[in-house]
């Protein structure tokens, strides 16, 4: 009797277990469906952002440029055009950031690396940053090792990394401050190290772990009126890591900030390619395929 009781209890328990498994499977199926739907909505959203927002904004900028070029505008109208220009530029920046994030997160960000010169990317980034720094009487010092070999990067993206870090340095440094950019080869490996430091407001220690997160901004009175969305560093970190580099920050509130990032030297990639080729010479490949 005891045995039969045990068997029937086990049977009941098994049936109950089967019910639970069926329930969980159904739940998983529903979650899966929801995820697919979310993914579909996300794709639609990004295609809307891409086509419906980027194109009109580019058109607005184009027409503002044309009106300015014709030059038959009063000084008040010219001032209004500048406001339109700066606002549409800001919006376009945000739209581009959102698109970059979606590509980064989907692993679809196209990095087209090749051997390139760090100094010329820095020079291009400075073209954008210098007027902003001049406005605030901030001194910009650049020191790139003249013997630095070529790096391996996507020129457009390396410039984006540099512009993001330098624009932060300008944004978060009060008037008459100092920014420095150093580029040098790292001792221990085939990487280049770029150090962007400033004498600005710095970052509180308890906020440091979060500043590379999406939409993370440190709320402070000193920067109440600075424009920003908290996407710059998130994208910068993603771009650096997509190149095989890393980024770190050292900062203290009121003591300035120092961002250090690495990128591979072209020689490192060449070595790896050679090593890959060596690892699979023609004979070895044949032997391998015969064996398999
Ligand atoms: P945006 O998306 O326009 O770049 P943002 O500059 O606020 O906006 P991030 O570049 O991601 O966003 O920076 C995140 C936060 O880290 C900033 O809001 C700021 O508080 C802090 N931060 C970044 N760089 C510096 C710096 N050089 N000095 C002081 N604080 C900084
Ligand atoms: Mg920023």
């Amino acid at each position: 009797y005891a045995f039969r009781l045990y068997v029937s209890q086990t049977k009941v328990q098994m049936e109950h277990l089967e019910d639970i498994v069926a329930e969980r499977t159904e739940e998983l199926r529903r979650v899966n469906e929801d995820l697919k739907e979310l993914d579909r909505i996300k794709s639609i959203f990004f295609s809307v952002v891409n086509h419906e927002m980027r194109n009109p904004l580019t058109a607005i900028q184009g027409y503002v440029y044309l009106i300015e070029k014709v030059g038959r505008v009063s000084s008040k109208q010219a001032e209004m055009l500048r406001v339109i220009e700066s606002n549409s530029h800001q919006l376009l920046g945000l739209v581009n950031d959102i698109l970059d994030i979606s590509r980064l997160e989907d692993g679809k960000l196209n990095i087209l690396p090749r051997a390139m010169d760090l100094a010329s990317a820095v020079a291009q980034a400075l073209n954008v940053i210098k007027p902003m720094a001049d406005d605030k009487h901030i001194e910009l010092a650049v020191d790139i090792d003249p013997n630095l070999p070529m790096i391996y990067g996507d020129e457009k993206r390396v410039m984006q990394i540099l512009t993001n870090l330098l624009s932060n340095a300008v944004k978060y440094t009060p008037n008459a401050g100092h920014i420095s950019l150093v580029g040098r080869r790292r001792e221990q490996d085939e990487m280049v190290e770029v150090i962007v430091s400033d004498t600005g407001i710095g970052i509180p220690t308890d906020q440091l772990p979060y500043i590379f997160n999406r939409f993370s901004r440190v709320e402070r009175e000193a920067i109440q009126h600075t424009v920003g969305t908290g996407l710059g560093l998130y994208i910068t970190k993603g771009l650096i890591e997509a190149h095989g580099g890393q980024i770190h920050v050292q900062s203290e509130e009121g003591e300035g900030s120092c961002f250090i990032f690495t990128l591979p030297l072209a020689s490192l990639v060449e070595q790896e390619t050679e090593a890959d080729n060596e690892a699979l010479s023609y004979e070895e490949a044949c032997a391998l395929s015969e064996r398999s």
Side-chain angles (χ1 to χ4, degrees), residues 76-217:
K76 197 153 185 225
Q77 285 167 333
E79 180 54 35
M80 287 173 183
L81 283 175
R82 263 194 293 280
V83 175
I84 298 176
E85 220 278 313
S86 119
N87 280 286
S88 59
H89 184 77
Q90 235 178 66
L91 258 179
L92 197 62
L94 179 62
V95 167
N96 285 336
D97 280 357
I98 290 174
L99 287 174
D100 274 351
I101 285 183
S102 107
R103 290 193 195 114
L104 265 174
E105 291 180 352
D106 292 349
K108 287 184 189 153
L109 190 90
N110 260 351
I111 298 266
L112 301 169
R114 59 183 186 84
M116 58 166 278
D117 183 26
L118 177 70
S120 69
V122 170
Q124 283 183 56
L126 285 181
N127 282 341
V128 181
I129 299 300
K130 187 88 176 39
M132 292 161 57
D134 287 347
D135 266 358
K136 293 178 78 176
H137 307 286
I138 291 174
E139 195 189 332
L140 261 168
V142 176
D143 176 14
I144 295 177
D145 177 1
N147 298 318
L148 191 71
M150 299 286 247
I151 63 168
Y152 193 69
D154 180 326
E155 233 164 299
K156 209 176 109 211
R157 296 302 186 177
V158 172
M159 197 190 135
Q160 188 178 353
I161 294 167
L162 291 164
T163 317
N164 276 352
L165 291 177
L166 286 168
S167 73
N168 275 353
V170 173
K171 202 153 59 159
Y172 303 115
T173 297
N175 285 3
H178 184 92
I179 295 172
S180 100
L181 185 149
V182 174
R184 62 185 181 206
R185 189 187 182 135
R186 220 159 58 156
E187 291 295 320
Q188 65 268 41
D189 51 22
E190 300 276 304
M191 301 289 275
V192 67
E193 183 173 64
V194 182
I195 305 162
V196 179
S197 48
D198 63 60
T199 57
I201 55 175
I203 301 161
T205 314
D206 62 332
Q207 296 291 322
L208 280 176
Y210 308 109
I211 60 163
F212 292 103
N213 291 354
R214 232 174 7 172
F215 296 112
S216 148
R217 296 203 81 203

Side-chain angles (χ1 to χ4, degrees), residues 25 58 125:
T25 313
T58 316

